[in-house]
Amino acid sequence: IPDGVTSIGAYAFWGYFALTSITIPDSVTSIGDYAFWGCSALTSVNIPNSVTSIGNSAFSGCTSLTGVTIPASVTSIGYNAFSGCTALTSVTIPDSVTSIGDWAFSDCTSLTSVTIPGSVTNIGDGAFAGLTGLTSVEICKGVVSIGDWAFGGCTALVSVTIPDSVTSIGEGAFGSCASLTTIKVSENNPNYASFNDVLFNKNLTTLIQCPGAFSGHFNIPDNVTSIVEQAFARCSYLTSVTIPNGVTNI
């Protein structure tokens, strides 16, 4: 792409299945919706520091793309932007990004770790859903809301720490995370009382409530000995529950 081009428009290289590489000049400030959708042979892309926005589904279905560095100039990552990039092993999200769109990195099955900077106020619905290789995630202080099904189906994820800034966790946000045993929330979080659940603070022995953030099968940790009334009153997404032998009071 020659120097002087300021934007890559919607559908510009949509479905160019044989495209293996592309050079984007520093003059480009935006990458449009579906710009590289389905470019399944594209192995790498250098997004220059001039780009401020990555459009909806811009790189969706780029199944050979192995790594992406998002420059500090980018403020928004669109809906579905990198969904289905199954070979993506690393992604850098800079502090400049304030929003991660719905399903932005969904089904990027080779991603093993993700750091979400505090500049991001909202993690969109399904933003990291289906990341079956994800073993660690760092949500930095500054994030306010975690959308519905945001990390749904991240089957290798074991623990999550929720920063004090988070005020809402969407339905099914950690649904079908089969390996997830601990979600930690500091007592400094203003919503600590409503998040106060054995999964959020693993040393508790009483299950106060199963949060609506969970769905599928729910394994109650072995340290639980008591389950309060209506503990499962708002768990409409649960399909089954395993109660440990140590529980003496339900």
Side-chain angles (χ1 to χ4, degrees), residues 71-90:
S73 53
V74 171
T75 58
S76 64
I77 300 172
Y79 168 94
N80 237 24
F82 295 93
S83 67
C85 292
T86 54
L88 195 64
T89 58
S90 64

Side-chain angles (χ1 to χ4, degrees), residues 144-198:
V144 174
S145 65
I146 300 172
D148 295 349
W149 204 250
F151 295 92
C154 293
T155 54
L157 191 61
V158 175
S159 66
V160 174
T161 298
I162 306 294
D164 295 343
S165 54
V166 171
T167 60
S168 68
I169 300 175
E171 292 185 351
F174 299 96
S176 299
C177 292
S179 301
L180 189 62
T181 56
T182 305
I183 297 183
K184 300 176 183 177
V185 175
S186 167
E187 291 186 13
N188 294 326
N189 188 297
N191 291 280
Y192 176 78
S194 62
F195 290 157
N196 188 15
D197 176 271
V198 69

Side-chain angles (χ1 to χ4, degrees), residues 100-126:
I100 299 176
D102 296 349
W103 310 98
F105 295 93
S106 60
D107 296 322
C108 292
T109 53
S110 295
L111 275 179
T112 58
S113 65
V114 169
T115 298
I116 301 165
S119 58
V120 173
T121 56
N122 176 59
I123 301 173
D125 295 348

Side-chain angles (χ1 to χ4, degrees), residues 48-141:
N49 288 327
S50 53
V51 172
T52 58
S53 63
I54 299 173
N56 299 332
S57 298
F59 295 94
S60 180
C62 292
T63 53
S64 297
L65 194 62
T66 58
V68 171
T69 298
I70 299 171
S73 53
V74 171
T75 58
S76 64
I77 300 172
Y79 168 94
N80 237 24
F82 295 93
S83 67
C85 292
T86 54
L88 195 64
T89 58
S90 64
V91 63
T92 303
I93 303 174
D95 289 342
S96 57
V97 173
T98 58
S99 64
I100 299 176
D102 296 349
W103 310 98
F105 295 93
S106 60
D107 296 322
C108 292
T109 53
S110 295
L111 275 179
T112 58
S113 65
V114 169
T115 298
I116 301 165
S119 58
V120 173
T121 56
N122 176 59
I123 301 173
D125 295 348
F128 298 94
L131 272 61
T132 54
L134 189 69
T135 57
S136 69
V137 59
E138 181 182 359
I139 303 172
C140 296
K141 187 173 182 178

Side-chain angles (χ1 to χ4, degrees), residues 32-53:
D33 297 348
Y34 297 88
F36 296 95
W37 182 94
C39 293
S40 54
L42 189 64
T43 57
S44 65
V45 61
N46 179 34
I47 301 173
N49 288 327
S50 53
V51 172
T52 58
S53 63

